Amino acid sequence: MKLMPSRPNVEAKAAPARQTGAAMITIDRVSQVFRTSGRREHLAISDISLTIEDGAFVSILGPSGCGKSTLLYIVGGFVSPTEGVARVKGKAIRGPGPDRGPVFQEFALFPWKSVLGNVMYGPRQQGVKSGEAEAQSRALIEKVGLKGFEHFYPKELSGGMKQRVALARTLAYHPAVLLMDEPFGALDAHTRTRLQNDLLKIWERDRKTVLFVTHSVEEAVFLSDRVVVMTRAPGRIKQIVEIDLPRPRRRSELLLDPRYQKYVVDIEGMIDDTSEDELRP
Amino acid sequence: MTVIRAFVSRSAPLMACLGLLAIWQVAALMLKTDSFPGAWEAIKAIPSILGDQESLINILASIRRMAIGFSVAVLVSIPLGLMMGRSRAVASFFNPLLMITYPVPKAALMPIILLWLGVGDIAKMLVIFLGVSLPVIYHSFQGAKAIEEKMLWSGAAMGLSAAQRMIRIVLPAALPEILTGCRTGLVLALITMVTSEMIARQSGAGNILFNALDMGQYDTVYAMIIIIGAMGIGLDAAFERLRARLVRWSEPGFEIPLSFA
Ligand SMILES: Nc1ncnc2c1ncn2[C@@H]1O[C@H](COP(=O)(O)OP(=O)(O)OP(=O)(O)O)[C@@H](O)[C@H]1O
Ligand SMILES: [Mg+2]
């Protein structure tokens, strides 16, 4: 048994094919230019290529403003890239669809709906009978730890609670791909750990494809099959690290595992490098 | 302490009304002119107006025109305002039109409208319609424009079509703002109703008022002012209740009875 992982794969564009399955999402030389209100052009992400296999859990790490959300929006079909194409199951992405469920950094809950109403919205839209949708939604709400808050409105919830509702609302309509933008960012350490475990359990059971944006290196290593490290703006892929840790992963075992620790330290180093690059004129 | 405070805040609007009437009464007693009867005389004239069948028919006719003008205006203006808020093309088409009509007093259009449509109900309802439309369009527009994009994205990801997003996301999300516009519209409906009847005398509450003025029946004039004012306050309070109910999810946690905010 080898204790130390081999040096992480540095070649960004030629990520090795994984055993998990066929390509679910292919991002092919995608760039995004925004026109800002000062009529200046701003290159948010530049020449990104990435393949995500069916059932893979991929995290994106990078400094604030490097274009992580933008990349997620492109895969979601909310923004069409200035250059390049993104595909889902081989088909060019034209717009949003229920096969890709976003969990936004800003929650974007429906303020006129209660917690239950928000979570039921997707299943109802998909034609699930109201009684069934309610039962499923109540179970999900309990799962994210909000039992008893079913009839609260979003304005009556804390940031972390809203985040959990947003998570439940997206899980409720069973998208094949989850696009999660710092979904645990507003949570306390304890809830965060619990929801990470829950997400892993859901993922290990359903084998959804997950694209997961986070600022936490530990979180990325703990959850992912692969961690994508981006450079400072304009965002490029700096490195892709395959996380070769056994599953199912148990937090208590993993934290003591030197391979896990090495991944965390290595990736933190890459992020530091990124900021040093930036300091050079 | 809290009981007293609750009593004071609950009865404050009533106190304000009584205070106003008292000042009126005192002023009338001091001025002693025929054209300015006291509050008490005006109030005394109210039962005879409301008891008179013809007056009642007149007042009900006013209310009917107002209700129709207001409803049609709301039904047209909300969809228009929302579409303007979501589509740049629609907004840039209608914006100049609205900018021109906005500052024009709707009563000033009355003579032209009368020329085209005669002195009947249609002309008056059209004026009310015009008066109500603008604030409702404006607020619907603002409400739809301010919606957080990601709310619509969430809906799109769940499979809502553009039309469904309009009805099931834009409309409810903009509802607080829309209802603010409707509330302004309701008061404007009352004002344009009275002015339209002042210009095209034929029937209505405004007609009773101005006829009485011509005939020097000043207690009737002031009684009508009280009746119209009470209608305004009553309608506004009723609408405010409805509004607060519909958008409870967006309200901060306290209430002012009969607020004019
Ligand atoms: N609609 C827009 N118009 C103009 N510029 C934009 C727009 N959206 C994003 N940007 C710019 O694109 C860059 C990337 O933004 P993005 O939100 O994707 O960053 P991020 O990596 O998600 O950051 P954070 O970690 O802070 O969420 C930023 O520099 C931002 O200013
Ligand atoms: Mg972001």
Side-chain angles (χ1 to χ4, degrees):
Chain A
M1 195 175 101
K2 92 186 158 178
L3 274 178
M4 293 292 149
S6 51
R7 188 68 199 151
N9 172 20
V10 177
E11 182 51 60
K13 274 161 217 158
R18 287 172 35 86
Q19 303 302 308
T20 347
M24 183 61 143
I25 290 166
T26 21
I27 300 169
D28 192 6
R29 310 210 61 171
V30 159
S31 300
Q32 181 68 45
V33 177
F34 284 114
R35 211 171 292 277
T36 53
S37 32
R39 288 179 184 268
R40 296 196 14 222
E41 297 205 331
H42 175 78
L43 183 60
I45 54 177
S46 171
D47 197 26
I48 293 205
S49 295
L50 184 68
T51 301
I52 302 171
E53 293 79 16
D54 188 7
F57 198 122
V58 174
S59 290
I60 301 181
L61 274 171
S64 180
C66 75
K68 304 181 294 295
S69 297
T70 304
L71 189 62
L72 224 66
Y73 300 159
I74 289 171
V75 176
F78 309 116
V79 168
S80 48
T82 327
E83 263 174 63
V85 266
R87 297 193 177 82
V88 58
K89 285 190 182 152
K91 263 197 263 168
I93 293 169
R94 286 270 160 67
D99 53 340
R100 285 151 291 143
V103 181
F104 293 113
Q105 206 171 355
E106 303 89 346
F107 324 130
L109 298 175
F110 302 135
W112 64 94
K113 290 270 179 199
S114 65
V115 168
L116 184 62
N118 267 282
V119 179
M120 277 175 67
Y121 206 97
R124 291 291 290 141
Q125 178 63 26
Q126 238 97 98
V128 179
K129 294 241 160 50
S130 117
E132 199 180 323
E134 182 173 335
Q136 289 172 7
S137 300
R138 281 182 186 278
L140 255 174
I141 290 167
E142 189 172 350
K143 188 148 209 160
V144 297
L146 287 176
K147 194 176 168 56
F149 292 96
E150 286 86 351
H151 297 290
F152 279 53
Y153 284 103
K155 67 153 186 181
E156 296 160 333
L157 304 175
S158 73
M161 291 162 89
K162 283 183 200 157
Q163 198 155 48
R164 285 181 272 165
V165 179
L167 185 64
R169 181 178 66 170
T170 301
L171 290 175
Y173 57 93
H174 307 295
V177 181
L178 280 171
L179 304 171
M180 307 176 93
D181 200 349
E182 299 180 33
F184 303 146
L187 302 180
D188 61 280
H190 174 74
T191 314
R192 191 174 179 131
T193 307
R194 236 197 41 226
L195 284 181
Q196 283 172 358
N197 285 325
D198 284 346
L199 179 63
L200 263 194
K201 258 185 239 147
I202 291 170
W203 178 81
E204 274 157 7
R205 196 189 58 210
D206 301 351
R207 278 289 161 157
K208 288 178 188 308
T209 307
V210 183
L211 188 53
F212 190 95
V213 171
T214 177
H215 277 133
S216 158
V217 177
E218 286 93 344
E219 181 170 85
V221 174
F222 175 52
L223 295 172
S224 316
D225 295 321
R226 190 185 307 158
V227 175
V228 179
V229 181
M230 287 176 70
T231 62
R232 205 166 277 273
R236 293 190 169 83
I237 292 182
K238 179 167 188 168
Q239 279 189 351
I240 298 180
V241 184
E242 300 287 330
I243 307 296
D244 195 8
L245 291 169
R247 293 190 189 265
R249 294 179 186 165
R250 300 274 162 271
R251 192 180 152 81
S252 50
E253 296 166 13
L254 218 57
L255 287 181
L256 298 172
D257 189 328
R259 291 174 297 176
Y260 166 84
Q261 293 160 358
K262 172 103 169 63
Y263 279 125
V264 171
V265 173
D266 280 354
I267 293 172
E268 270 173 1
M270 292 171 204
I271 291 172
D272 282 345
D273 284 352
T274 305
S275 35
E276 271 165 35
D277 283 349
E278 203 51 38
L279 287 176
R280 268 177 236 136
Chain B
M1 212 28 218
T2 49
V3 176
I4 295 170
R5 201 175 295 163
F7 176 78
V8 168
S9 71
R10 186 119 25 108
S11 58
L14 187 67
M15 296 302 224
C17 287
L18 289 176
L20 207 63
L21 291 173
I23 293 169
W24 174 3
Q25 185 70 26
V26 171
L29 287 175
M30 279 163 59
L31 289 170
K32 282 204 181 96
T33 49
D34 276 351
S35 58
F36 190 37
W40 181 237
E41 279 162 85
I43 291 169
K44 269 196 308 195
I46 292 175
S48 68
I49 296 172
L50 293 182
D52 179 45
Q53 202 186 350
E54 202 182 329
S55 311
L56 262 184
I57 289 172
N58 268 301
I59 293 172
L60 287 177
S62 291
I63 294 175
R64 186 178 141 265
R65 280 194 291 272
M66 195 175 108
I68 295 173
F70 177 80
S71 311
V72 176
V74 163
L75 287 178
V76 172
S77 307
I78 295 176
L80 177 61
L82 293 183
M83 284 193 285
M84 283 173 65
R86 295 316 311 169
S87 151
R88 196 165 296 185
V90 178
S92 46
F93 181 81
F94 283 100
N95 238 340
L97 234 70
L98 296 176
M99 265 162 64
I100 295 167
T101 38
Y102 188 53
V104 178
K106 302 311 158 282
L109 297 174
M110 198 66 196
I112 306 168
I113 293 171
L114 288 178
L115 209 63
W116 286 88
L117 297 174
V119 289
D121 276 3
I122 301 285
K124 288 172 191 154
M125 288 190 295
L126 182 61
V127 181
I128 295 171
F129 171 87
L130 291 174
V132 176
S133 299
L134 287 165
V136 180
I137 292 174
Y138 178 76
H139 282 275
S140 306
F141 168 65
Q142 291 295 341
K145 216 171 64 168
I147 288 174
E148 194 190 345
E149 203 76 28
K150 269 142 215 159
M151 225 142 78
L152 294 166
W153 290 4
S154 297
M158 291 175 190
L160 273 80
S161 68
Q164 284 176 322
R165 292 200 295 273
M166 200 70 184
I167 294 166
R168 294 184 46 196
I169 295 180
V170 177
L171 178 66
L175 197 63
E177 188 70 35
I178 292 173
L179 291 179
T180 306
C182 289
R183 196 174 169 198
T184 313
L186 192 63
V187 176
L188 280 172
L190 190 82
I191 295 170
T192 40
M193 175 197 88
V194 176
T195 17
S196 74
E197 290 162 356
M198 177 178 85
I199 297 165
R201 297 250 202 110
Q202 190 201 30
S203 80
N207 183 44
I208 303 175
L209 197 160
F210 292 104
N211 278 342
L213 192 66
D214 288 349
M215 291 188 287
Q217 297 164 342
Y218 295 111
D219 52 348
T220 308
V221 171
Y222 282 87
M224 279 313 294
I225 291 175
I226 295 179
I227 291 172
I228 293 168
M231 258 162 62
I233 294 173
L235 277 174
D236 187 59
F239 188 81
E240 175 53 23
R241 286 205 138 181
L242 177 72
R243 193 194 65 81
R245 241 183 127 95
L246 287 174
V247 297
R248 214 175 18 205
W249 53 267
S250 76
E251 294 288 286
F254 70 95
E255 251 175 64
I256 307 169
L258 276 186
S259 78
F260 297 97

